[in-house]
Amino acid sequence: EKARADAVDDGVNNQRQSLPEFLKDTLIHRFGLKSIALTNLQALILGVRKGSKGDESKGDDTPKRLRMFGYVAGILDHDGWHEDLSNFVLHALGSMFRRENIKENMDHAPKKNLAVDAALALESTEDAWGRFGFGATPPDLHERIVDMAREVGGALRLHDWLDLITMKWLDASHQVQKDMLATFIEHDSNGDGVLDFEEFQGMVNSLVMGTGEGSAEAVDTHIVMKIFGEALEESGHMDPGGDGDAMVPQAFVRVARTYHLSASHKPMASPVAAVDPSPEEE
């Protein structure tokens, strides 16, 4: 259902909902009353947290399936969680099965251990990582997929593959966030914990020009102003008691993730493309 909703949003150039938001809205639509929906959502959260710790020793992959869902939905805690994780996983599944066939292939018995082609798993991983990851697919991820396929005769168990790529994405995402915080501190030349516009502009250009191949140009000032404004607005949400001019590091990280800026990984898209994506990128 989330993949279909994303397709609708993409078709009319709407921003996609995060998976937590989608789950809540879906339950409200299903049950009609918000109070009943939220009660069922709480039951779902508790069920996922408990079930993800279950016994997998007898070939039942239910705990692994619940664990992966819990991480993707933000139910299980991980410092690298970001709403792009669901985009990454659904894109990988869509590349594997086609978007309209995801539900059919995921709805199998807990002990079936559905196998998928290793070459297609590699292709789907690289496609999703390039679209919603952090540049080139990590070599160790590629190697691990190959090794897993060899262990079971040339194929991969579906949920072993999903578990692997989900955890690898979360770890990489956590590293990106730490890099961004370090970059914020580095460009906070006043040492006051906030960035003025001049400092912010220097940081954005450093991120864009420092991760390319040496030919990247400075970002247009009007685009930087838009990013700056969004970061200040997010700071206001995070620190309601602030004076409105201060920018908190976590707000910068959140907005920088939206624009796919990164201090140590090649951005998926430039800030210009993130603000005004071309038809080809859609």
Side-chain angles (χ1 to χ4, degrees):
E1 292 182 19
K2 179 65 165 68
R4 288 197 295 269
D6 288 345
V8 171
D9 284 335
D10 293 348
V12 293
N13 293 321
N14 281 342
Q15 183 175 351
R16 294 179 177 185
Q17 273 191 305
S18 68
L19 184 53
E21 293 171 340
F22 176 81
L23 285 173
K24 184 174 72 173
D25 287 353
T26 297
L27 290 174
I28 291 174
H29 175 74
R30 180 173 299 170
F31 292 103
L33 293 175
K34 185 176 180 180
S35 58
I36 298 177
L38 294 181
T39 298
N40 279 272
L41 179 60
Q42 185 62 28
L44 172 65
I45 291 171
L46 294 174
V48 168
R49 288 176 176 168
K50 180 179 180 180
S52 65
K53 300 176 182 178
D55 182 12
E56 300 177 42
S57 63
K58 297 182 180 180
D60 185 348
D61 68 359
T62 299
K64 184 174 292 183
R65 294 165 71 170
L66 288 172
R67 187 166 59 248
M68 192 211 71
F69 173 75
Y71 279 125
V72 174
I75 293 172
L76 300 180
D77 294 332
H78 193 290
D79 289 337
W81 186 87
H82 185 270
E83 49 260 41
D84 262 349
L85 176 56
S86 65
N87 293 327
F88 168 72
V89 171
L90 288 175
H91 192 89
L93 286 169
S95 296
M96 174 70 72
F97 300 122
R98 298 184 63 83
R99 178 181 283 169
E100 61 271 20
N101 297 327
I102 292 176
K103 186 177 188 300
E104 174 187 345
N105 284 279
M106 295 295 286
D107 284 348
H108 59 80
K111 295 187 179 181
K112 185 176 180 180
N113 286 326
L114 181 67
V116 295
D117 180 75
L120 185 55
L122 277 171
E123 181 181 335
S124 299
T125 300
E126 291 173 354
D127 184 26
W129 198 277
R131 182 71 175 84
F132 293 107
F134 315 96
T137 306
D140 61 333
L141 177 57
H142 185 283
E143 293 169 4
R144 182 57 189 143
I145 291 174
V146 172
D147 289 342
M148 288 170 62
R150 288 174 179 161
E151 292 167 5
V152 291
L156 286 173
R157 294 186 180 93
L158 172 61
H159 292 286
D160 288 348
W161 169 62
L162 288 174
D163 183 65
L164 172 68
I165 65 173
T166 296
M167 299 313 298
K168 188 66 177 179
W169 192 97
L170 283 167
D171 290 343
S173 175
H174 186 211
Q175 185 60 51
V176 164
Q177 291 178 177
K178 290 195 295 184
D179 291 344
M180 287 178 176
L181 285 173
T183 300
F184 184 98
I185 294 171
E186 178 186 348
H187 285 80
D188 177 26
S189 57
N190 295 336
D192 56 4
V194 298
L195 294 177
D196 61 25
F197 180 75
E198 183 178 349
E199 292 169 334
F200 186 85
Q201 185 173 35
M203 179 173 59
V204 169
N205 283 321
S206 173
L207 286 171
V208 173
M209 300 172 74
T211 56
E213 301 299 326
S215 59
E217 297 180 356
V219 181
D220 184 89
T221 299
H222 294 290
I223 300 298
V224 180
M225 288 174 63
K226 181 175 178 65
I227 302 172
F228 184 68
E230 291 182 16
L232 284 175
E233 182 178 358
E234 185 66 23
S235 295
H237 295 319
M238 291 183 173
D239 182 19
D243 60 12
D245 294 325
M247 183 183 300
V248 298
Q250 291 77 10
F252 160 67
V253 170
R254 182 167 181 81
V255 174
R257 291 296 301 266
T258 301
Y259 284 87
H260 306 289
L261 301 175
S262 173
S264 64
H265 297 76
K266 186 176 181 180
M268 181 186 78
S270 70
V272 176
V275 173
D276 185 20
S278 65
E280 290 77 15
E281 290 179 318
E282 292 296 315

